[in-house]
Amino acid sequence: LGYAGVVRFRGVRIGGISGIFKSHDYRKGHFECPPYNQQTIRSAYHVRNIEVFKLKQLKRPIDIFMSHDWPRSIYHYGNKKQLLKMKSFFRQEVESNTLGSPAASELLQHLKPTYWFSAHLHVKFAAFMQHQANSKEELPKATKFLALDKCLPHRDFLQIIDIEHDPSAGDSLEYDAEWIAVLKATNSLVNVTQSSWNMPENNGLHAKWDYSATEEAIKEVLEELNHNLKIPCNFTLTAACYDPSKPQKHMEPVHTINPQTTEFCAQFGLTDINDRIQQAKEEGSVRGEYEEEEEEEEMDSTGSAEEPSEYNTDNSGLSSINPDEIMLDDEGGDEDLSTCSVDPSPDHPPDFSASFSDIRIMPDSMAVSSDDAMDSTNEELEKAGVSKQVEEKSLNERPLKRIGGNENGNSGIKKIKRRNQAIYAAEDEDKTE
């Protein structure tokens, strides 16, 4: 799927987007490549606005969509009471509707997939979101959302779901003609620099803002492939397999051009981002340095309660401390640490709790609990005072989630620590938690 993409398997249309949503509209290009420095290693995995833009050009139905972050507001469509019981430190962001990614929420509203699967928050949670129909003639669509816990003993990290498919279709992954057409149409928008790049909008500043695929463009893709959409099995090793008998602790990573990507881009006349970055490096126009231009970025989303920011060094504004998280000690960074929410657009109401807090229609195959069959808003408010006292006490007792550098702002060597390391060695996790 790459940074973002759509493929088909036995008639099932599967889309996805990789990375963390650092902000609502992260506008830099894909400029990072090995060897990374302390800044680029943190920005490399952030979702760019161009990937969101491409996915929003899709018009045909999506069966399954996957993202790392949860779409913002999805918690209002499921067993919110049970979620807060399991992850009490989500409460503040759930109540202020700032948990999750607003960009993922936009994609959810636009794509309306049958299923949406996410990760990130290390908790099993299911939701059922009924979308509004665009017209009286259109049948309303619904999305079944599911997130699972992390893979540890006694945790809900696995669930089997039956998906309707074409049993007569082949057992190979296939290209999606509409997605290929969108990639070809948006190829001119590719950016491999650190410069901010706004996507075209219907605001009078752009001659073209609609890059969706026409039926004619889709037909051209099919003809180009001779109606054979099968994705070739052309995997090629680009790095030696790890050999524990020959450790190479200080081996510096190098920028490698992936032959699969090269072949894919050549076949459809697309820009190979990795190759373009390599060319720019050789020409000296791109360096492995990260010029801090954060003033132009919208710091309107921290991604989630569990990941307020990958570079957060100020703990004063954090409402959530996740005992499952991997913590980076002595992590530096000068980025803004605001956790303000995004002003919703007219198409996305700011608060769904009033309208949907009583909706608990859970598919049998995705049900988490039946405890929340009725609206629990009043009950939660009654307990809020007690919960906040307990939370404040626990925050004072527990070590801070992020530990910054010394008073002079200097950071030491990064040390990765697992807060839940004891779980792996424990015989019974319930006793340790």
Side-chain angles (χ1 to χ4, degrees):
L1 292 175
Y3 290 123
V6 181
V7 296
R8 289 177 177 269
F9 182 73
R10 294 201 165 176
V12 179
R13 200 169 185 222
I14 306 167
I17 188 167
S18 63
I20 299 290
F21 291 88
K22 177 179 182 292
S23 66
H24 183 228
D25 187 18
Y26 195 57
R27 295 170 287 167
K28 295 182 183 296
H30 289 286
F31 64 93
E32 306 92 343
C33 67
Y36 298 110
N37 58 36
Q38 289 301 317
Q39 300 299 334
T40 57
I41 198 172
R42 298 169 185 167
S43 65
Y45 50 79
H46 290 309
V47 173
R48 281 12 184 223
N49 62 347
I50 188 173
E51 317 305 345
V52 178
F53 179 81
K54 290 176 183 177
L55 289 167
K56 291 178 73 173
Q57 305 308 306
L58 296 173
K59 304 297 183 185
R60 295 183 174 182
I62 293 286
D63 298 304
I64 298 172
F65 196 83
M66 298 177 290
S67 68
H68 186 75
D69 283 342
W70 289 23
R72 180 169 293 183
S73 300
I74 194 64
Y75 33 81
H76 291 309
Y77 297 85
N79 194 332
K80 187 167 57 177
K81 178 181 177 181
Q82 179 71 10
L83 175 65
L84 295 178
K85 180 179 179 181
M86 298 175 67
K87 300 284 185 178
S88 60
F89 43 85
F90 289 172
R91 181 175 296 277
Q92 180 176 334
E93 282 151 295
V94 167
E95 292 178 350
S96 62
N97 202 35
T98 57
L99 178 66
S101 163
S105 182
E106 286 184 16
L107 288 174
L108 174 60
Q109 295 278 357
H110 175 81
L111 298 173
K112 301 179 176 66
T114 305
Y115 292 92
W116 185 299
F117 302 128
S118 292
H120 194 49
L121 297 186
H122 301 162
V123 62
K124 181 176 181 180
F125 179 76
F128 185 84
M129 181 177 182
Q130 187 80 45
H131 300 282
Q132 294 182 350
N134 295 326
S135 63
K136 294 181 179 180
E137 294 77 20
E138 182 184 51
L139 293 175
K141 297 179 181 179
T143 297
K144 298 175 183 178
F145 173 86
L146 178 64
L148 295 173
D149 206 338
K150 64 194 307 185
C151 187
L152 287 174
H154 312 294
R155 305 282 278 265
D156 291 320
F157 60 84
L158 179 65
Q159 182 160 325
I160 307 300
I161 297 176
D162 293 325
I163 307 292
E164 291 186 10
H165 62 283
D166 181 3
S168 63
D171 59 356
S172 299
L173 285 173
E174 296 181 337
Y175 292 122
D176 183 85
E178 184 189 18
W179 176 248
I180 299 298
V182 168
L183 290 180
K184 292 166 74 73
T186 57
N187 190 57
S188 61
L189 302 179
V190 171
N191 176 21
V192 296
T193 73
Q194 300 180 45
S195 302
S196 295
W197 183 252
N198 293 316
M199 291 298 101
E201 297 180 61
N202 185 11
N203 56 7
L205 299 178
H206 303 91
K208 181 180 180 179
W209 57 86
D210 184 358
Y211 287 78
S212 57
T214 63
E215 291 300 323
E216 183 177 341
I218 295 174
K219 183 179 179 181
E220 289 179 1
V221 171
L222 292 173
E223 292 176 350
E224 190 176 339
L225 293 170
N226 294 321
H227 293 268
N228 180 15
L229 297 173
K230 182 178 178 180
I231 297 176
C233 296
N234 58 353
F235 174 76
T236 304
L237 282 173
T238 57
C241 296
Y242 174 70
D243 185 351
S245 65
K246 300 177 182 179
Q248 296 176 310
K249 297 181 179 179
H250 304 290
M251 184 177 179
E252 184 175 281
V254 296
H255 186 212
T256 304
I257 305 299
N258 189 310
Q260 285 178 294
T261 304
T262 300
E263 183 177 334
F264 174 79
C265 293
Q267 181 176 12
F268 297 108
L270 304 174
T271 298
D272 186 339
I273 294 178
N274 282 322
D275 185 59
R276 177 71 67 83
I277 292 175
Q278 184 64 34
Q279 291 178 15
K281 283 181 63 179
E282 292 173 356
E283 294 169 359
S285 59
V286 173
R287 296 171 296 170
E289 299 175 359
Y290 184 91
E291 298 175 7
E292 296 183 6
E293 300 172 357
E294 303 301 328
E295 68 276 6
E296 295 183 10
E297 296 180 15
E298 295 182 28
M299 300 302 293
D300 52 5
S301 171
T302 59
S304 73
E306 184 171 10
E307 297 289 346
S309 170
E310 288 296 329
Y311 339 126
N312 202 340
T313 58
D314 178 8
N315 298 278
S316 61
L318 297 181
S319 63
S320 308
I321 295 181
N322 189 349
D324 288 339
E325 186 182 7
I326 295 175
M327 182 179 67
L328 293 179
D329 279 359
D330 301 322
E331 179 161 323
D334 301 317
E335 298 196 342
D336 182 20
L337 309 173
S338 68
T339 55
C340 58
S341 60
V342 178
D343 293 331
S345 65
D347 297 330
H348 304 86
D351 184 9
F352 296 99
S353 58
S355 303
F356 297 96
S357 60
D358 58 339
I359 295 181
R360 299 290 184 269
I361 308 173
M362 308 302 293
D364 293 338
S365 64
M366 298 181 66
V368 175
S369 169
S370 60
D371 295 343
D372 202 23
M374 300 180 65
D375 184 7
S376 60
T377 304
N378 293 332
E379 184 179 349
E380 291 174 7
L381 290 175
E382 292 174 0
K383 296 180 179 180
V386 178
S387 299
K388 288 182 179 179
Q389 291 178 6
V390 175
E391 242 181 296
E392 290 174 0
K393 182 178 179 181
S394 62
L395 284 172
N396 292 330
E397 293 176 351
R398 285 191 249 178
L400 292 175
K401 179 178 179 183
R402 311 277 185 192
I403 301 179
N406 56 31
E407 295 180 357
N408 297 324
N410 297 324
S411 300
I413 298 175
K414 306 295 182 293
K415 296 180 180 178
I416 298 178
K417 295 183 179 180
R418 275 195 181 276
R419 287 174 177 264
N420 61 349
Q421 187 66 43
I423 297 177
Y424 292 90
E427 294 181 1
D428 188 352
E429 186 206 34
D430 296 334
K431 296 180 181 180
T432 63
E433 289 189 339

